[in-house]
């Protein structure tokens, strides 16, 4: 007998048997069969062949059987859409079933069947269920609207379901309200621009009423919705806070965190002088402390949120230091997080307690934790000055233990303590040097080398110590090599006679024998400094160092404000905004805390002048590079200025100068001529003499004035050029051109996001320039710029900004900021955008002025191969506001006499001689006369650009 017996069976197959059972007359057998089908489906077997038989089982009163059939339907409707339509009638019927559970079940299943063909059949039953008398059906229908919107948004809007959802916010049943809020929030999230949740005091009142009686998840939806509302004044904010406070004592930690989020947000609007403000601070501490008695995973989430809260309002938990002390059985991730919060809460009042704890932690067995504890002792010394002495002695005790990793961490933090308190604790250097041989980690070696170089004059054998590191120079990490190079140069500048050989050795190692560009560059800079000007080298290398600040790891304030709005979500655990880790088409809305609008405090606005300044006088302050980036994020970009031109010379965009003195010194521009009086020159030492030249010449090609296609009507517009490539601006590419139409100048920009994250919060500012060009309105990008998206914007410009002569004259330095960073670029604008419409001089005036301007101010230029005759030349130039005053023909040559006027009132007179060459191309000779001769070259370029394009 052959092997075929293995492939034949008396059973006709499992599917066949199930089919027979599903069509059985006995209810019990049917139920068992459906259960078997669901079981097969769950383990991954394909039972889609039974679709018609399972759907037939829907006609039953048995709720359990119905649930099983609906489960099967949800799973297979997508792969069998044509069959799924068979079930529609049953759905419609079930939506009118007397049993509310069956009605709700039908609606829930309809929302889960994501098949386009079926959705339109579901609208009628869904409409009935949204108005059902049973709240259980209504709450299920509310969620179904959100699911339907995800499949077919247009259908939901056309059918008016969104309005029905809004009406459900006023429902008498709190669970229906909560689900309606959840559904609307979900829909609003995918359509950030739509104002679906139109919250007003009346609807907020309804939500707060429902809040007390919802289930815990309902409460979370309502609290999250409240957090997106901005109260109209501090009184309303206080009343909302009073009604949300009872949620702090809820058993569910998610409800507690959502309530904390609402309170933290609305506290911004309360005056700190209010008694209620103090009461609220006291009420916030106990629930946060209670969260720390949960299981470790929840503790970790709570601690990450508390970390944000402590950075924003440390006063909430300042008396609760003890709950953050580490327990022996805490997992490492909880220990490290607690340690971080302990440092943030450390103050003069509790430092003794904290130090005793930290010293205890430093003897633990967990290496990572011990390292962090030793670092924490150093951070305490930097944060609380009174404790520095005690911290240093604690660190010395730890060094005496001779435990390798403890010694290395201690040396790293002592380096920071030396930076913070110069000339105070240097007596410990001898102890540190004893441990030199045991250092094997790059960071510890680099810190030790820094200490030896910085205090070389106090260490007798500093040269020997550094020489010992030099022996294995190429095996060291980059961090150590860079530090060693700097330390030996410092040593040479302090003891030049003894260390000449050593410095030669390290410079040749760093420059000739190294392939690391950072190391080579630093080596060459030191080499040139030492060889050309040792005095300057001393000033640069041994310059006074700024003191380090106590909190180097604080979250940047605007990001912190945004994260406070996301308390209780993943963003608060990652400490990153959602846009940094959420991908996909969903628009991520940037949230921020409401401004303080208190009736008792005067609002501090950036426009208010300081007390000492006379009214009407704007103080012109150029911020330092450090202030710059902080202030950019709250740039006050005012509306366009109307009315007469302003007398002040400041840029019309708030008092902050985006480019500050940073770019002037970068470009090496020396102000002269126009407006030099109001320019603060950078200190001479900061500007390398030869930096200006290569920078300027590189920019001249940025704006290619000789290419592009123009149109005869209106002023010539150059094609867009790339001004800021994406690789230089973290993924933001900016192209643009300049136009002048009917008297108004604009900068036409094209912004392209080539990064992986959403870009928002755009702003722009110009540095002072030769003609006072400045934005006349803020840079408005209405929706967040998603990855690979491009947006075109026309930015109106005016010429009432600050003036400073640039090199070349038409150079414009621009700063653009977004949520990622601030980016600088520079471009050349064509001068014809500044030719005004009233630039036609009368004939007598032209003759008198031509004679009056001295001959040395006359400049001659040639324009070859112009494809236009005299008439066409005249009309083409007139469309760009160069006006022909008279025309003559001398010996067969056409002569055009022309005038134009710039926005700053400078007149330019021109004589254009048209020499007929071959029939289709003319050669033109252009003579220009002007009281500011440096303009002539740029006017000639404008002529050539207009006539040849």
């Amino acid at each position: 007998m052959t092997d075929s017996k293995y492939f034949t069976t008396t059973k006709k197959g499992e599917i066949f048997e199930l089919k027979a059972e599903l069509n059985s007359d006995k209810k019990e057998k049917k139920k068992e069969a459906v259960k078997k089908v669901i079981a097969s489906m769950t383990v991954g077997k394909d039972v889609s062949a039974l679709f018609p038989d399972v759907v037939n089982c829907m006609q039953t009163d048995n709720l359990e059987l119905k649930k099983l059939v609906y489960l099967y339907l949800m799973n297979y409707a997508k792969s069998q859409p044509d069959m799924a339509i068979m079930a529609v009638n049953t759905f419609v019927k079930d939506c009118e079933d007397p049993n509310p559970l069956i009605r709700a079940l039908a609606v829930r299943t309809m929302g889960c069947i994501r098949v386009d063909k079926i959705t339109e059949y579901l609208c009628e039953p869904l409409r009935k269920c949204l108005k059902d008398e049973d709240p259980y059906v209504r709450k299920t229908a509310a969620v179904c609207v959100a699911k339907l919107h995800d499949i077919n948004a247009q259908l939901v809007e056309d059918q008016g379901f969104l309005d029905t959802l809004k009406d459900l916010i006023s429902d008498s049943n709190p669970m229906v309200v909560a689900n309606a809020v959840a559904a609307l929030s979900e829909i609003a999230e995918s359509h950030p621009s739509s104002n679906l949740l139109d919250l007003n005091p009346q609807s907020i009142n309804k939500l707060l009423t429902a809040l007390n009686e919802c289930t815990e998840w309902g409460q979370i939806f309502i609290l999250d919705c409240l957090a997106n509302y901005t109260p109209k004044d501090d009184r309303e904010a206080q009343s909302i806070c009073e009604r949300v406070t009872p949620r702090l004592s809820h058993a569910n930690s998610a409800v507690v965190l959502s309530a904390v989020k609402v309170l933290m947000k609305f506290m911004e609007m309360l005056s700190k002088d209010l008694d209620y403000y103090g009461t609220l601070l006291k009420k916030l501490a106990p629930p946060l402390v209670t969260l720390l008695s949960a299981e470790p995973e929840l503790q970790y989430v709570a601690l990450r949120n508390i970390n944000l809260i402590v950075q924003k309002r440390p006063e909430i938990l300042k008396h609760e230091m003890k709950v953050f002390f580490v327990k022996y059985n805490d997992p490492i991730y909880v220990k490290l997080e607690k340690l971080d919060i302990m440092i943030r809460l450390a103050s003069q009042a509790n430092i003794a307690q904290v130090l005793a704890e930290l010293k205890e932690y430093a003897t633990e067995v967990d290496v990572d934790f011990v390292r962090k504890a030793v670092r924490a002792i150093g951070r305490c010394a930097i944060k609380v000055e009174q404790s520095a002495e005690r911290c240093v002695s604690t660190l010395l005790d730890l060094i005496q233990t001779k435990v390798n990793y403890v010694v290395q961490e201690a040396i790293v933090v002592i380096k920071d303590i030396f930076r913070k308190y110069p000339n105070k604790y240097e007596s410990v250097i001898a102890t540190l040097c004893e441990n030199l041989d045991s250092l094997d980690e790059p960071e510890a070696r680099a810190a030790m080398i820094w200490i030896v170089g910085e205090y070389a004059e106090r260490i007798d054998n500093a040269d020997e110590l550094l020489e010992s590191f030099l022996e294995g120079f190429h095996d060291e990490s980059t961090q150590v090599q860079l530090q060693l190079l700097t330390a030996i140069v410092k040593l040479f500048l302090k003891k030049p006679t003894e260390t000449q050989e050593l410095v030669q050795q390290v410079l040749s190692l760093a420059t000739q024998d190294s392939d690391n560009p950072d190391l080579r560059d630093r080596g060459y800079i030191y080499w040139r400094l030492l060889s050309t000007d040792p005095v300057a080298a001393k000033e640069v290398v041994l310059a006074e160092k700024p003191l380090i600040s106590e909190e180097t790891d604080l979250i940047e304030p605007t990001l912190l404000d945004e994260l406070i709005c996301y308390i209780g979500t993943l963003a608060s655990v990652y400490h990153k905004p959602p846009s940094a880790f959420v991908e996909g088409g969903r628009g991520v809305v940037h949230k921020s805390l409401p401004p303080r609008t208190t009736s008792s405090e005067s609002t501090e606005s950036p426009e208010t002048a300081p007390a000492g300044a006379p009214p009407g006088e704007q103080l012109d302050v150029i911020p330092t590079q450090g202030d710059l980036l902080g202030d950019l994020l709250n740039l006050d970009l005012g509306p366009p200025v109307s009315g007469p031109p302003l007398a002040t010379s400041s840029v019309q965009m708030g008092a902050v100068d985006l480019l500050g003195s940073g770019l002037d010194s970068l470009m090496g521009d020396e102000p002269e001529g126009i407006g030099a009086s109001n320019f603060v020159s950078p200190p001479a030492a900061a500007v390398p003499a030869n930096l200006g030249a290569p920078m300027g010449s590189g920019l001249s090609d940025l704006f290619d004035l000789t290419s592009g296609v123009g149109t005869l009507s209106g002023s010539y517009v150059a094609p867009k050029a790339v001004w800021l490539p994406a690789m230089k601006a973290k993924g933001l590419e900016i192209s643009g051109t300049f136009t002048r139409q009917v008297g108004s100048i604009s900068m036409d920009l094209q912004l392209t996001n080539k990064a992986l994250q959403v870009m928002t919060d755009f702003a722009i500012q110009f540095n002072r320039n030769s003609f006072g060009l400045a934005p006349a309105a803020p840079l408005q990008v209405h929706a967040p710029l998603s990855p690979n998206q491009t947006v075109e914007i026309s930015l109106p410009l005016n010429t009432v900004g600050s003036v400073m002569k640039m090199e070349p004259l038409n150079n414009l330095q621009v700063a653009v900021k977004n949520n990622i960073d601030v980016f600088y670029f520079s471009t050349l604008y064509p001068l014809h955008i500044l030719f005004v419409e009233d630039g036609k001089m009368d004939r007598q005036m032209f003759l008198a002025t031509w004679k009056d301007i001295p001959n040395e101010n006359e400049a001659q230029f040639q324009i070859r191969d112009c494809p236009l005759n005299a008439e066409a030349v005249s009309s083409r130039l007139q469309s760009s506001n160069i006006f022909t005053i008279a025309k003559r023909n001398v010996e067969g040559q056409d002569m055009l006499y022309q005038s134009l006027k710039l926005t700053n009132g400078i007149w330019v007179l021109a004589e254009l001689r048209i020499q007929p060459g071959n029939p289709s191309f003319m050669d033109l000779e252009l003579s220009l006369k002007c009281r500011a001769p440096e303009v002539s070259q740029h006017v000639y370029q404008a002529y050539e650009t207009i006539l040849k394009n």
Side-chain angles (χ1 to χ4, degrees):
M1 197 172 169
T2 62
D3 287 343
S4 62
K5 63 173 182 182
Y6 297 112
F7 299 95
T8 56
T9 170
T10 48
K11 291 171 83 177
K12 290 197 175 164
E14 199 176 359
I15 298 285
F16 186 82
E17 281 187 8
L18 286 171
K19 203 180 184 80
E21 287 179 24
L22 286 170
N23 293 318
S24 158
D25 299 334
K26 293 180 181 163
K27 277 189 178 176
E28 275 312 306
K29 209 163 187 186
K30 245 186 191 176
K31 198 155 111 186
E32 285 306 309
V34 174
K35 281 185 179 175
K36 283 181 193 170
V37 171
I38 298 290
S40 302
M41 179 179 90
T42 311
V43 296
K45 285 184 187 165
D46 182 16
V47 282
S48 55
L50 297 168
F51 203 96
D53 306 286
V54 177
V55 170
N56 284 338
C57 298
M58 278 174 84
Q59 319 288 346
T60 173
D61 302 331
N62 185 319
L63 188 59
E64 191 184 355
L65 183 54
K66 227 178 193 42
K67 278 185 178 174
L68 291 168
V69 174
Y70 278 175
L71 197 60
Y72 176 90
L73 257 178
M74 284 186 228
N75 201 26
Y76 282 116
K78 204 160 191 166
S79 57
Q80 310 255 350
D82 300 330
M83 291 246 186
I85 291 181
M86 294 168 26
V88 168
N89 283 337
T90 317
F91 279 139
V92 175
K93 224 164 86 187
D94 280 356
C95 283
E96 292 173 3
D97 194 278
N99 182 346
L101 289 175
I102 288 181
R103 297 203 295 275
L105 183 63
V107 166
R108 180 180 294 132
T109 313
M110 286 183 335
C112 294
I113 295 180
R114 305 176 63 80
V115 178
D116 277 339
K117 289 182 183 173
I118 297 183
T119 42
E120 50 231 56
Y121 296 111
L122 306 184
C123 293
E124 237 8 84
L126 182 57
R127 183 174 286 108
K128 284 181 187 161
C129 289
L130 280 166
K131 297 196 162 46
D132 197 283
E133 77 245 6
D134 192 287
Y136 181 74
V137 181
R138 292 201 300 275
K139 87 176 181 75
T140 312
V143 178
C144 187
V145 173
K147 288 178 176 172
L148 197 58
H149 188 273
D150 203 30
I151 304 166
N152 189 340
Q154 200 52 50
L155 181 72
V156 170
E157 283 159 35
D158 297 346
Q159 293 282 346
F161 287 148
L162 293 180
D163 297 326
T164 318
L165 262 189
K166 286 182 192 173
D167 296 342
L168 286 182
I169 288 186
S170 313
D171 198 277
S172 55
N173 184 291
M175 265 326 293
V176 177
V177 175
N179 277 18
V181 166
L184 283 169
S185 305
E186 179 80 13
I187 294 169
E189 221 168 82
S190 55
H191 292 69
S193 50
S194 66
N195 192 13
L196 282 178
L197 273 163
D198 185 17
L199 297 173
N200 51 43
Q202 290 71 37
S203 57
I204 288 292
N205 195 23
K206 287 170 189 162
L207 292 183
L208 287 165
T209 309
L211 186 62
N212 298 327
E213 296 159 36
C214 283
T215 64
E216 48 201 23
W217 296 112
Q219 293 183 24
I220 293 166
F221 291 134
I222 291 177
L223 288 167
D224 287 350
C225 177
L226 286 173
N228 294 330
Y229 174 63
T230 306
K232 59 179 190 294
D233 56 23
D234 55 335
R235 228 174 253 106
E236 190 185 356
Q238 181 174 337
S239 101
I240 294 173
C241 286
E242 282 167 355
R243 293 177 70 179
V244 168
T245 313
R247 298 299 106 215
L248 292 173
S249 52
H250 200 284
N252 184 324
S253 49
V255 176
V256 174
L257 282 176
S258 292
V260 168
K261 169 167 63 184
V262 174
L263 297 173
M264 285 291 290
K265 198 167 174 184
F266 291 174
M267 275 170 87
E268 280 295 300
M269 299 183 69
L270 301 180
S271 157
K272 292 192 175 182
D273 309 335
L274 281 177
D275 293 342
Y276 180 68
Y277 182 84
T279 316
L280 199 51
L281 285 181
K282 287 196 188 91
K283 282 184 179 169
L284 273 170
L288 292 172
V289 170
T290 309
L291 290 176
L292 297 182
S293 53
E295 50 269 33
E297 293 78 10
L298 279 180
Q299 274 189 54
Y300 178 72
V301 172
L303 286 164
R304 292 293 282 173
N305 281 282
I306 288 170
N307 202 327
L308 295 174
I309 293 165
V310 164
Q311 287 183 55
K312 184 72 187 165
R313 301 199 183 280
E315 61 273 26
I316 292 177
L317 288 160
K318 65 179 178 191
H319 300 305
E320 303 292 345
M321 175 64 89
K322 278 198 170 142
V323 292
F324 298 108
F325 285 172
V326 172
K327 297 192 181 84
Y328 75 94
N329 58 352
D330 280 339
I332 181 70
Y333 54 89
V334 170
K335 285 181 175 175
L336 296 178
E337 208 53 44
K338 281 184 172 178
L339 205 51
D340 210 30
I341 295 169
M342 277 169 67
I343 306 303
R344 297 207 193 288
L345 291 175
S347 64
Q348 210 177 327
N350 57 23
I351 194 74
Q353 252 182 327
V354 174
L355 273 181
E357 277 289 307
L358 292 176
K359 193 170 178 183
E360 199 64 40
Y361 300 161
T363 59
E364 283 264 352
V365 286
D366 193 319
V367 177
D368 282 340
F369 182 51
V370 172
R371 285 175 181 281
K372 191 101 182 216
V374 177
R375 286 234 166 164
I377 295 172
R379 279 174 63 191
C380 283
I382 289 165
K383 187 173 181 191
V384 184
E385 191 168 343
Q386 294 76 3
S387 73
E389 188 122 2
R390 193 182 288 165
C391 291
V392 172
S393 65
T394 307
L395 288 169
L396 287 177
D397 291 347
L398 291 172
I399 287 175
Q400 296 309 331
T401 61
K402 299 287 184 202
V403 178
N404 194 353
Y405 53 86
V406 175
V407 173
Q408 310 212 51
E409 287 297 333
I411 286 175
V412 173
V413 295
I414 286 176
K415 181 198 85 170
D416 290 341
I417 294 174
F418 285 169
R419 284 282 309 273
K420 176 75 174 172
Y421 308 111
N423 306 321
K424 239 178 161 184
Y425 301 109
E426 281 76 8
S427 53
V428 307
I429 291 175
T431 317
L432 303 183
C433 291
E434 290 165 17
N435 295 285
L436 210 71
D437 302 335
S438 64
L439 306 181
D440 53 13
E441 288 167 18
E443 200 178 357
R445 290 172 77 82
M448 192 66 226
I449 292 167
W450 182 87
I451 292 169
V452 174
E454 191 66 18
Y455 301 105
E457 68 280 10
R458 304 179 188 209
I459 303 170
D460 301 335
N461 61 340
D463 48 347
E464 289 168 28
L465 295 176
L466 291 176
E467 204 166 349
S468 68
F469 283 105
L470 208 54
E471 285 157 13
F473 186 77
H474 289 302
D475 304 330
E476 300 283 6
S477 71
T478 309
Q479 186 183 7
V480 177
Q481 290 177 333
L482 288 166
Q483 204 55 270
L484 193 53
L485 173 62
T486 305
I488 291 176
V489 172
K490 283 181 187 170
L491 177 66
F492 172 71
L493 290 168
K494 290 173 181 177
K495 303 180 180 177
T497 46
E498 304 144 47
T499 52
Q500 198 149 0
E501 256 176 62
L502 191 62
V503 82
Q504 293 265 306
Q505 193 184 346
V506 77
L507 286 173
S508 73
L509 281 172
T511 53
Q512 289 156 18
D513 306 346
S514 168
D515 53 4
N516 180 325
D518 291 346
L519 187 61
R520 273 212 313 271
D521 286 357
R522 192 183 287 193
Y524 280 126
I525 286 171
Y526 284 153
W527 200 317
R528 282 174 193 159
L529 265 175
L530 293 170
S531 54
T532 52
D533 189 352
V535 180
K538 206 160 190 168
E539 279 175 19
V540 172
V541 181
L542 302 179
E544 193 81 4
K545 281 162 203 59
L547 296 184
I548 57 176
S549 70
E550 54 197 61
E551 292 288 5
T552 45
D553 57 346
L554 282 179
I555 292 175
E556 193 266 324
T558 41
L559 176 57
L560 181 61
D561 286 355
E562 187 177 348
L563 291 178
I564 291 287
C565 301
Y566 286 110
I567 282 178
T569 66
L570 204 51
S572 67
V573 179
Y574 283 162
H575 288 190
K576 288 178 183 174
S579 54
F581 59 86
V582 175
E583 285 185 359
R586 292 281 170 103
V588 175
V589 188
H590 280 267
K591 300 182 181 181
S592 58
L593 294 177
R596 284 190 179 279
T597 55
T598 56
S599 42
S600 53
E601 278 184 282
S602 68
T603 52
E604 285 185 33
S605 79
E607 286 80 28
T608 47
E617 189 179 298
Q618 183 87 32
L619 292 183
D620 188 20
V621 182
I622 294 185
T624 63
Q625 199 68 34
D627 304 340
L628 214 64
L629 299 181
D631 284 5
L632 273 170
L633 299 159
N634 22 22
L635 247 184
D636 175 30
L637 297 166
V641 182
S642 54
L646 292 170
T648 58
S649 65
S650 63
V651 184
Q652 300 307 308
M653 295 178 68
V656 176
D657 178 358
L658 254 174
L659 294 146
S661 53
L663 228 87
D664 302 330
S665 57
L666 184 75
M667 308 300 283
D669 280 329
E670 278 305 313
E672 61 186 50
I674 315 169
S677 58
N678 63 3
F679 170 70
V680 184
S681 176
V687 189
N690 60 352
L691 207 60
M695 206 74 171
S697 58
L699 291 171
S700 57
D701 288 327
L702 263 176
F703 203 105
D704 183 7
L705 291 171
T706 56
S707 67
V709 195
T711 51
L712 273 169
S713 60
S715 175
Y716 166 71
V717 179
K720 287 194 175 82
V722 175
W723 289 341
L724 183 66
M727 59 189 296
K728 288 192 176 171
K730 299 185 181 174
L732 173 65
E733 182 176 281
I734 301 180
S735 311
T737 184
F738 294 89
T739 59
R740 182 183 186 95
Q741 280 169 334
V742 207
S744 54
I745 309 169
S746 58
M747 182 192 240
D748 292 348
L749 294 166
Q750 179 176 308
L751 308 180
T752 304
N753 179 359
K754 295 191 173 178
L756 293 174
Q757 67 188 95
V758 175
M759 295 182 179
T760 56
D761 307 337
F762 284 90
I764 192 167
Q765 196 162 338
F766 296 174
N767 199 6
R768 292 180 286 189
N769 53 76
S770 309
F771 294 92
L773 275 177
L779 179 60
Q780 294 194 323
V781 182
H782 293 296
L785 194 58
S786 305
N788 297 319
Q789 191 185 345
T790 297
V791 63
E792 307 257 349
I793 296 158
S794 184
L795 177 73
L797 307 180
N798 59 31
T799 50
V800 295
S802 297
V803 174
M804 181 182 102
K805 187 176 178 185
M806 299 298 284
E807 188 56 53
L809 206 62
N810 58 338
N811 189 7
L812 180 65
Q813 296 171 351
V814 183
V816 171
K817 87 116 184 116
N818 62 15
N819 58 323
I820 297 172
D821 206 344
V822 184
F823 308 108
Y824 303 104
F825 65 88
S826 144
T827 181
L828 305 178
Y829 49 90
L831 213 64
H832 65 258
I833 63 167
L834 303 172
F835 298 171
V836 295
E837 282 64 22
D838 59 348
K840 188 164 184 175
M841 222 179 227
D842 86 17
R843 289 184 176 205
Q844 298 305 328
M845 182 78 164
F846 182 92
L847 277 170
T849 311
W850 186 273
K851 287 176 184 164
D852 192 39
I853 295 174
N855 285 341
E856 56 265 29
N857 281 20
E858 185 170 349
Q860 309 269 346
F861 302 98
Q862 278 206 325
I863 301 171
R864 296 200 175 280
D865 300 336
C866 172
L868 307 170
N869 62 17
E871 282 305 315
V873 164
S874 179
S875 98
R876 170 77 68 90
L877 292 170
Q878 178 143 355
S879 67
S880 288
N881 295 338
I882 300 173
F883 299 96
T884 303
I885 291 159
K887 179 182 170 189
R888 335 185 262 160
N889 189 297
V890 180
E891 299 167 6
Q893 291 184 354
D894 283 320
M895 308 273 282
L896 300 179
Y897 296 95
Q898 299 176 317
S899 71
L900 63 98
K901 183 174 153 191
L902 296 169
T903 49
N904 58 358
I906 291 177
W907 285 89
V908 181
L909 312 185
E911 176 188 83
L912 190 63
R913 186 190 300 260
I914 300 174
Q915 301 174 325
N918 63 35
S920 54
F921 287 100
M922 312 279 187
D923 284 349
L924 313 181
E925 277 184 16
L926 176 68
S927 298
L928 295 174
K929 262 191 162 186
C930 175
R931 295 196 192 279
E934 58 266 43
V935 171
S936 300
Q937 174 69 31
H938 299 286
V939 172
Y940 152 67
Q941 283 173 358
Y943 262 86
E944 190 170 48
T945 305
I946 295 163
L947 293 174
K948 286 195 172 181
N949 290 293

